[in-house]
Amino acid sequence: MAQVAAAAATTSSSSASPASAGRPKFAPTPSTVPLMNVCADIARRVDSYLATTPASESRDVADLRQRTKDRIQESLNVISEALKRYSIDELAISFNGGKDCLVMLVLLLASLHYHSSQFPPQKIHTVYVHSLNSFPEVDEFVNDCVALYSLDLIRLPTPMKVAFQKFLDAKPHVKAIMVGTRRTDPNGADLRFFDETDHGWPKFMRVHPVIDWHYAEVWHFLRELEIKYCILYDLGYTSLGGTTDTHPNPALRIESREDSTGEQSFRPAYTLLDDTKERCGRST
């Protein structure tokens, strides 16, 4: 795994900026490392986290760690069930570079190592549904993930329903799509782990591996496993949409501090404690 670790530990020059101090080291970078090796390294990280119980943690952190371990196991069970129902060629993921679908992708990669019979997939079928006003930083991060994680990604700057139809037209063998929706997301409250699409939508099975995760658990997982995430999260963004409807979360504003351009400064997304304020930076 030394080859994978070396590729994964590479960070961009921007990681040295004050806003990104402390960013995890597992950085998506263009890589020729085989997908099988990447999956093995991710699985090692997941296994190590699940097996670790630090002795010196506070009660709050220890409770968060245990809740995150429970969520990981739950999600792995959901993905395992999906891999029993569908071949890897019949399964796709919806990936937009956000924190929730990043957790989902990482756990899928680990699961592919555990379910080695599903190899060798050449690529992971992926749809990236985005607005016409997507952040360049998000697009760059998605491109990096495509390279490192062997994503066979189709970009569709169209409404969700139209995008999924176009994706399935291009990939008619796909029967299920994994989606990184959580219960606190709009329309997420009543979803189950497996839900057929509603009437009027293109027909496929929606799989929701991270539906029961909480905001703090998402960030604990990504930071503990040192998974690189989109730089915007270090700049106070907590929920990513387009440039016209997404702003740094006002709950993270640092009072009486401005950067060199006179702009307000914000704490990183992972410092937010209140789940209910996650979308305070979104106007939609």
Side-chain angles (χ1 to χ4, degrees):
M1 289 298 99
Q3 183 183 14
V4 175
T10 304
T11 57
S12 65
S13 59
S14 64
S15 65
S17 67
S20 58
R23 181 179 302 159
K25 299 177 181 179
F26 189 57
T29 53
S31 172
T32 58
V33 178
L35 176 58
M36 183 177 292
N37 291 16
V38 173
C39 291
D41 186 63
I42 291 287
R44 177 188 58 78
R45 291 166 181 265
V46 171
D47 291 343
S48 176
Y49 175 83
L50 290 173
T52 300
T53 305
S56 59
E57 286 185 332
S58 68
R59 180 183 296 273
D60 287 345
V61 175
D63 288 346
L64 174 58
R65 181 179 296 274
Q66 186 56 55
R67 294 198 308 272
T68 305
K69 288 182 178 182
D70 292 342
R71 294 286 78 78
I72 290 171
Q73 194 57 63
E74 180 180 73
S75 297
L76 290 174
N77 289 341
V78 173
I79 297 172
S80 178
E81 177 62 26
L83 291 171
K84 290 177 182 177
R85 296 188 189 187
Y86 309 101
S87 71
I88 190 61
D89 199 45
E90 295 172 328
L91 187 64
I93 65 169
S94 177
F95 184 77
N96 63 4
K99 62 189 182 306
D100 303 327
C101 59
L102 181 58
V103 170
M104 177 182 70
L105 172 59
V106 168
L107 292 176
L108 172 61
L109 294 169
S111 295
L112 287 175
H113 175 72
Y114 304 142
H115 295 261
S116 57
S117 62
Q118 291 285 19
F119 274 109
Q122 297 299 312
K123 300 279 187 177
I124 297 173
H125 301 310
T126 310
V127 55
Y128 174 27
V129 183
H130 60 92
S131 73
L132 294 173
N133 303 301
S134 59
F135 283 93
E137 294 89 343
V138 174
D139 289 336
E140 180 180 358
F141 178 72
V142 170
N143 289 340
D144 286 344
C145 290
V146 167
L148 180 63
Y149 301 129
S150 298
L151 305 182
D152 178 19
L153 184 137
I154 296 179
R155 294 171 171 81
L156 295 168
T158 60
M160 189 72 71
K161 186 184 296 187
V162 175
F164 280 131
Q165 184 61 67
K166 289 186 175 181
F167 178 72
L168 292 173
D169 289 343
K171 304 280 187 180
H173 50 280
V174 168
K175 297 180 180 179
I177 301 177
M178 292 173 51
V179 183
T181 303
R182 292 173 32 238
R183 295 209 185 279
T184 53
D185 293 331
N187 305 313
D190 297 324
L191 293 176
R192 299 168 299 179
F193 294 131
F194 293 84
D195 282 305
E196 289 273 7
T197 48
D198 301 322
H199 178 71
W201 280 72
K203 186 176 181 180
F204 62 92
M205 180 65 75
R206 293 171 294 172
V207 184
H208 304 110
V210 298
I211 189 68
D212 287 328
W213 285 61
H214 292 280
Y215 183 86
E217 296 159 1
V218 167
W219 279 114
H220 183 73
F221 175 82
L222 292 176
R223 287 171 57 75
E224 284 290 308
L225 269 71
E226 298 186 328
I227 304 297
K228 178 75 175 291
Y229 49 80
C230 179
I231 189 175
L232 291 180
Y233 287 121
D234 281 338
L235 304 179
Y237 293 83
T238 54
S239 179
L240 302 182
T243 58
T244 59
D245 62 14
T246 307
H247 312 279
N249 194 320
L252 296 177
R253 182 181 292 114
I254 301 174
E255 297 298 334
S256 303
R257 183 185 295 181
E258 298 179 348
D259 63 20
S260 59
T261 66
E263 296 290 333
Q264 287 283 336
S265 294
F266 297 81
R267 298 191 306 277
Y270 56 80
T271 64
L272 184 69
L273 299 178
D274 188 347
D275 271 30
T276 65
K277 295 183 178 180
E278 178 181 352
R279 294 181 64 86
C280 286
R282 297 284 295 273
S283 58
T284 58

